[in-house]
Structure formats: structure tokens, C-alpha cells
Amino acid sequence: MEAQMEQIIAKISTLQTLQEVENLRVEIMGKKGILTQQFAELKNLPDEQKKIQAKILNTFKQEFESKLIEKKESLFTAQMNENLSKEAIDASLFSALRPKSSGHPIYQTMDRIIDFFVNMNFSIQSGPLVEDDFHNFEALNLPKFHPARDMQDTFYFKDSMLLRTHTSPVQIRTMEKDSLPIRMIAPGSVFRRDYDLTHSPMFHQVEGLVVDKKDSISFSHLKYILEDFLHFMFGDVKIRFRSSFFPFTEPSAEVDISCVFCKGEGCRVCSHTGWLEVLGCGIVNDKVFESVGYKDVSGYAFGLGVERFAMLIHRVNDLRSFFETDLRVLEQF
Ligand code: PHE
């Protein structure tokens, strides 16, 4: 028995798992365990021997129990540490399971527009979304009660502050702070009281403005860069400039591309004209230069709606689907 006890104690140190610890405990101290049996047999021994044997068994029992508990604790700690390190989250790790976002289609389109003009050496300018009447209207040759203000359904605040209805006020702000030559675009959100298939109360525009010395900027510069730009955005389309009106440009034009849906044949989207209007532009009206104190300069400006571009590029017919944040829709881009 003595030798067997030593073996049992020695075995404890070789145990690898909590289950093995439990198995050994049952083997030794369970109902049918070796030690349990030994204790049961004590009664069969003569008194003298019973005492000695009981002492041996108790000493063994104590040692066995304390060694087993020690082992159990160390295995438990080891297992917990292992679990902790396995379950630990490394937030910096790349997860192959997460699909890489390609960005919202509006911003994809915006980025592509910006790429073109940055490559053409335009700077990027910005202005406040809450504008004053001067920058949004007055300085752009839209005096109070001018009928053209009706073209832009405005959200007003107190004290003639408003949500900017277009990115054109950034033209004014840039001319106020910078000097010639000016070659800028202003991407950003704008606001109008409009909501239907093709209009939303918040949408995005990209404004463009080029100003330099008198007689150095002409309509042909404007035409050249916009044709290049529209081919970059829409590929092989036909382009036409249609005379139009904006208070801040004179002469003004609206630019059409041949319909990307029917290739100019005529369809529902282009109202059977074969053409789609994509931007407004013109030669900067001298009244605008006067309002910022510029003299002897010339320039051109243009403005476009990013949502309209995105709808045509991705053939989306309801603008509102861009804003509903439905992943099933957005994941298609
Ligand atoms: N601001 C005009 C609009 O919102 C667009 C435009 C900008 C037209 C610059 C001409 C020149 O409709």
C-alpha cells in the first residue's frame, strides 16, 4: 500500500486536464475508490494495526487531497488564461469576414468629380451650410424680391439667415478671401424645400469658379473643360450647350448630354428628347465681381447636382433610395 500511495501522489503531477483530476479523485476517494475501500476494511483489522493503518490512511488522504486541490487550481488558472488569450479581441486585426465598404454612391460620385478637377489644378473650397442672405443671394445678383429667388425654395431662419440653396455662395466667400487667379471647386450639401422622385430637401452640389485678369477667361475655356469633364464622367456621350439664364452668369448655359439610357433615341427618362440636362454654367456676371470689389477680371462658373450624376451613372430612378440607408440597395454599389 505504501508504494501504491507514493505512485498515486506522483501521478497527480502528471495530470493534464481537470477531467483527469476528477477521474483520479473518483478512483481514489469515490464510493468504490481505493482509499474508501481501505477505510472500510479498517474494521476487519486488529486494534493495534487498525490505529497504525488509520493514521497512514489519514496522512495519505490529507496529502492526496491537498495535492489534488493544488493541481486543480493550477490547471484551472492555466485553462482560464488560455481561454482569455483565445477570446481576446484585437481591434486592430483585419477581418476577412467584413466586406470592404466601397462608400456611399453619392460620395463615390462626388470623389470622382473632385478627382477630375483636382487633376486640373482646381483647389477645394468650402463654406457654411447656414448662410446669410448676402452670400446666398444678394452678392450673386439676386436682390430681394428678384423673381429668380423663387427658383430656389429656401429654408429660412431668423435674421435673414438660411440654409444655403446652392454652393454658389462659396464663390463669393472664396473671392472675398483669395486673390487672382482663382481656380476652385466647392463640393457640399445644399437645401431646398423639395421632395419627390428626383428631389430631396438635402442634396449635394459641386460648384466651380475660375477667375483671372480681364479678357483672359472666355466661354471656350468653360466649354473645353466641361466637355472633358463630362466625357470623364459619362464616357462616350454627345454634349450640347443650351442658352439659359442665371442671375450670376451672363451669358449662361445649361449643358445636356445625350441620354445614357436610350443613347439619344428618346425614352421616358429623357422625356423623348434624347437629351439629359446635367449642369448649369456661364461667364461670371460683372455684378458678382462688383459685390466682392473685383475690377478688371473675367471668369466662368458652373454648378452641378451630385445626386443627378449618381442617378445617371448607376441608373437609379428614385433619388430617395440613396437616403434610405437600406443595405440591400447600398451593397449593390
Ligand atoms: N447655382 C446654380 C444652381 O444651383 C448652378 C450654377 C452655378 C449655374 C454656377 C451657373 C453657375 O442651380
Side-chain angles (χ1 to χ4, degrees):
M1 182 61 202
E2 224 93 326
Q4 201 190 356
M5 284 178 176
E6 261 170 48
Q7 263 180 25
I8 292 169
I9 300 292
K11 196 176 173 188
I12 295 179
S13 64
T14 69
L15 299 178
Q16 304 275 0
T17 65
L18 289 169
Q19 188 57 53
E20 283 175 20
V21 171
E22 178 59 10
N23 290 349
L24 186 65
R25 191 193 64 79
V26 172
E27 194 186 317
I28 308 302
M29 293 183 18
K31 267 189 187 157
K32 292 177 185 158
I34 298 168
L35 191 61
T36 316
Q37 274 170 30
Q38 297 269 344
F39 272 115
E41 279 167 25
L42 278 180
K43 62 176 188 301
N44 303 326
L45 294 175
D47 275 359
E48 223 20 50
Q49 241 183 306
K50 193 191 278 177
K51 247 190 187 171
I52 299 168
Q53 180 66 355
K55 199 172 177 190
I56 292 170
L57 291 181
N58 275 319
T59 316
F60 169 73
K61 189 184 172 204
Q62 266 176 23
E63 192 182 353
F64 178 75
E65 275 184 333
S66 77
K67 284 258 159 67
L68 209 63
I69 288 174
E70 224 171 75
K71 186 71 193 177
K72 202 168 166 177
E73 273 171 4
S74 84
L75 282 176
F76 185 79
T77 317
Q79 195 168 81
M80 194 169 71
N81 285 339
E82 196 190 315
N83 286 350
L84 278 176
S85 70
K86 259 198 240 154
E87 288 164 14
I89 293 169
D90 180 350
S92 70
L93 266 185
F94 172 76
S95 160
L97 292 174
R98 214 168 111 240
K100 188 173 166 293
S101 165
S102 52
H104 192 282
I106 299 296
Y107 281 93
Q108 279 176 27
T109 307
M110 184 106 107
D111 283 348
R112 190 164 165 78
I113 296 169
I114 291 171
D115 270 357
F116 176 86
F117 287 106
V118 166
N119 277 324
M120 289 290 185
N121 214 16
F122 282 65
S123 70
I124 299 177
Q125 304 289 336
S126 62
L129 305 187
V130 178
E131 262 298 1
D132 51 52
D133 188 273
F134 175 77
H135 289 91
N136 195 80
F137 290 128
E138 200 87 38
L140 290 160
N141 191 30
L142 273 150
K144 292 200 175 53
F145 310 115
H146 191 289
R149 281 196 183 200
D150 290 346
M151 287 158 67
Q152 310 194 333
D153 271 318
T154 312
F155 289 107
Y156 282 100
F157 298 110
K158 286 189 297 199
D159 309 323
S160 41
M161 295 301 279
L162 44 88
L163 285 175
R164 69 179 185 190
T165 55
H166 50 180
T167 41
S168 302
V170 187
Q171 289 189 29
I172 305 300
R173 290 191 177 272
T174 305
M175 288 191 280
E176 282 172 339
K177 76 176 173 70
D178 289 352
S179 49
L180 298 191
I182 285 173
R183 197 173 170 81
M184 59 139 254
I185 53 165
S189 32
V190 301
F191 307 84
R192 290 184 200 174
R193 293 167 35 159
D194 242 340
Y195 191 55
D196 60 33
L197 271 185
T198 53
H199 296 89
S200 96
M202 188 281 300
F203 61 103
H204 298 82
Q205 286 190 331
V206 176
E207 190 81 12
L209 175 70
V210 171
V211 186
D212 211 333
K213 291 187 290 281
K214 189 174 165 57
D215 297 329
S216 65
I217 307 281
S218 73
F219 205 94
S220 56
H221 295 125
L222 172 64
K223 193 160 182 271
Y224 174 85
I225 198 148
L226 289 182
E227 282 179 349
D228 208 10
F229 166 64
L230 291 172
H231 284 136
F232 175 77
M233 294 302 291
F234 296 105
D236 189 19
V237 288
K238 283 194 224 107
I239 295 164
R240 76 175 184 192
F241 284 68
R242 205 167 16 84
S243 132
S244 183
F245 171 80
F246 298 103
F248 28 92
T249 47
E250 180 58 35
S252 304
E254 277 172 324
V255 185
D256 299 340
I257 57 170
S258 52
C259 180
V260 293
F261 294 94
C262 62
K263 304 256 178 304
E265 300 264 300
C267 68
R268 203 175 46 86
V269 182
C270 59
S271 306
H272 304 283
T273 61
W275 294 97
L276 299 164
E277 183 202 320
V278 288
L279 52 80
C281 64
I283 293 298
V284 180
N285 194 318
D286 280 334
K287 289 264 175 53
V288 175
F289 290 137
E290 272 168 39
S291 71
V292 290
Y294 274 30
K295 282 197 190 79
D296 300 326
V297 297
S298 58
Y300 66 72
F302 57 87
L304 62 90
V306 180
E307 277 74 2
R308 177 139 176 90
F309 273 58
M311 287 175 82
L312 296 176
I313 289 167
H314 296 293
R315 312 198 170 204
V316 168
N317 53 24
D318 187 344
L319 166 72
R320 292 169 292 197
S321 58
F322 283 141
F323 300 116
E324 281 163 358
T325 62
D326 185 336
L327 280 181
R328 289 167 302 183
V329 173
L330 295 178
E331 273 168 4
Q332 294 174 44
F333 302 101

